[in-house]
Each structure stands twice: as C-alpha cells, then as structure tokens.
Amino acid sequence: MNTVQENLKQIQQDINAAAAKTGRNSEDITLLAVTKYVTIERTEEAVDAGIVDLGENRIEGFLEKQAVIGEKAVWHFIGSLQTRKVKDVINQVDYLHALDRLSLAKEIQKRAAKKIKCFVQINVSGEVTKSGVSPDETLAFIQQLAEFPAIEVVGLMTMAPNTEKEDVLRSVFSGLRQLRDEVKAAGMLHAPCTFLSMGMSNDYTIAIEEGATHIRVGSALVGPYK
Ligand SMILES: *Cc1c(COP(=O)(O)O)cnc(C)c1O
C-alpha cells in the first residue's frame, strides 16, 4: 500500500493539471480526505502529510477520529444524517455536506449552538437510489431555509453516478454548477452558495474541470479500501 504522502503527491499533480487546463487557481480547490474506511492511524498519517480537511459519513467514525485529532483538522460530515442523531454531532461539524430535507434543517435549527455551514445535497442524476433535493426544487428549497437562522448555505453537493462515462459525469457536474450559479445569483443573505462539493476518487479531475471547489477523495488518497 502506498503512503498517503505518495498518493497525495499524485493527486496534487492532478489537481494542478485540471485547474491549469481550465484556467483555475488550484488554491481554490479544497481536497477532503474521506477517511470513513480507514483507521485513526491512517487518518493521522494523512494529517501529517499535510491534509487539513477530513470527511466522514458516520457519526461514530467522525467522533472517534475527532477525539484524537481535534483541532488539527477541519471536520466535514459528508453522509446522510438521521434527524434523531443531529444532536449527537451537529455542534462538532465545521461543514455539513448533505442537507437534503426541511425536517433536517428544522432539527439543526433546534440543536445548533452556532451557525452551521451547509452544502445542500442535490440529486442531479435523478437516480432513485440517491438522496438529495431534485434540481427543479433546489431554488425553492433554499429559499425556505431562510426560516432557519442557524443554517448558512455555503454551496451545493452531489454524488455522481458510478460510471466511467465521461460525458455523463460532465453533465452531472456542469448541471450542479449551473444550479449553484442560479442560487448564487438570487443573492439570498443566508445562501451565499459559492462552493461546489463534487468529485471522488474516480472522477475528481473531471469535477475540477467543471468547477468543483471541494473534492471528496477516499480510496485514491487513503485507500485502498474498495
Ligand atoms: C465514500 C465517499 C466519498 C469518497 O469515495 P471514494 O470513491 O473512495 O473517493 C466521497 N463522498 C461521499 C459522500 C462518500 O460517502
């Protein structure tokens, strides 16, 4: 197995190349290490290699790793969050990537002791197995979030289909970017919506070319775990 440092070097080169290709500044792209299937030791190795942003999709793993690593990292919760578990984790989260329903927003409002930076998850591909707000309902959904002062919509997030087809991936990513542009243009105080969380191990270069500001990379960075 490669060291995280070796993987990181390759990924950083890819980020730089994809950014250069599209006239972007690679410093505008945040690399999240998704550590959901790896040990605390491997996660610490990532932090020692210079990774700052960590993503977990389960509360248990999130809290376990945060207890050890603490403020050396910025903490992203990237998984779907059950309403009844919001209280267990929400005030420990720096960024929530999967706000996908009003009942969740309501519970966050009830439990949050600070403003919570949220990405709204959008089901761009329309696959029935994926959660997320449908593209048609995105603007109205985000308008409704104005009722919840604890929620700041910093961006949109999507999961692309599990496919190698570049045209499919590109259309999903560019679809999310267009939606982001619409929401941003609406100029809502509670929804600056500047960020785009999209791209994983298999498709992060395409995501960057299509405007990703946050890529969520697990297996290619800290794996293998597939
Ligand atoms: C697991 C996961 C990732 C990372 O997936 P890899 O293919 O291992 O890079 C990214 N985002 C979410 C929401 C995940 O659950």
Side-chain angles (χ1 to χ4, degrees):
M1 189 161 76
N2 284 346
T3 64
V4 175
Q5 198 163 19
E6 286 162 343
N7 292 337
L8 178 59
K9 197 172 162 210
Q10 179 61 53
I11 292 169
Q12 199 60 59
Q13 282 172 7
D14 295 343
I15 292 172
N16 294 343
K21 193 170 160 189
T22 45
R24 302 186 59 201
N25 186 341
S26 56
E27 296 193 348
D28 295 336
I29 296 149
T30 299
L31 169 64
L32 269 70
V34 176
T35 52
K36 62 189 182 190
Y37 295 134
V38 302
T39 60
I40 291 180
E41 290 70 30
R42 188 73 166 166
T43 306
E44 289 179 302
E45 189 191 333
V47 172
D48 291 340
I51 300 273
V52 176
D53 293 83
L54 300 179
E56 281 280 329
N57 68 341
R58 296 266 178 273
I59 290 178
E60 207 171 73
F62 182 96
L63 294 176
E64 241 173 49
K65 285 171 178 130
Q66 192 175 55
V68 176
I69 295 169
E71 295 187 351
K72 280 190 279 182
V74 174
W75 294 91
H76 300 256
F77 195 84
I78 63 173
S80 56
L81 186 52
Q82 287 174 270
T83 308
R84 67 190 168 83
K85 296 199 169 156
V86 166
K87 62 178 182 313
D88 300 338
V89 76
I90 199 65
N91 289 305
Q92 257 89 301
V93 166
D94 293 311
Y95 291 88
L96 175 68
H97 286 243
L99 176 55
D100 60 356
R101 57 196 193 279
L102 279 181
S103 57
L104 180 57
K106 210 170 171 176
E107 184 66 12
I108 292 171
Q109 180 61 41
K110 193 165 147 194
R111 304 292 183 175
K114 58 170 189 177
K115 212 178 250 283
I116 309 296
K117 296 187 180 82
C118 299
F119 290 79
V120 172
Q121 183 171 357
I122 312 297
N123 186 358
V124 181
S125 65
E127 289 168 284
V128 292
T129 53
K130 293 216 152 71
S131 49
V133 177
S134 82
D136 289 350
E137 290 163 0
T138 300
L139 195 57
F141 177 76
I142 293 175
Q143 280 165 343
Q144 286 176 287
L145 296 176
E147 282 176 51
F148 307 107
I151 290 178
E152 180 180 17
V153 179
V154 297
L156 303 184
M157 175 274 209
T158 201
M159 303 269 289
N162 186 7
T163 177
E164 309 264 287
K165 291 187 186 141
E166 194 179 318
D167 55 334
V168 173
L169 294 167
R170 269 190 205 284
S171 81
V172 167
F173 294 146
S174 69
L176 193 70
R177 186 187 63 220
Q178 284 168 29
L179 274 177
R180 189 274 316 265
D181 292 346
E182 278 173 42
V183 175
K184 196 173 155 196
M188 294 176 271
L189 274 180
H190 69 289
C193 204
T194 46
F195 297 146
L196 278 175
S197 170
M198 58 190 195
M200 320 199 308
S201 290
N202 293 328
D203 53 21
Y204 63 84
T205 55
I206 301 171
I208 292 167
E209 289 173 19
E210 298 298 336
T213 62
H214 292 67
I215 57 173
R216 310 180 307 268
V217 183
S219 47
L221 181 56
V222 295
Y225 59 62
K226 276 196 168 165

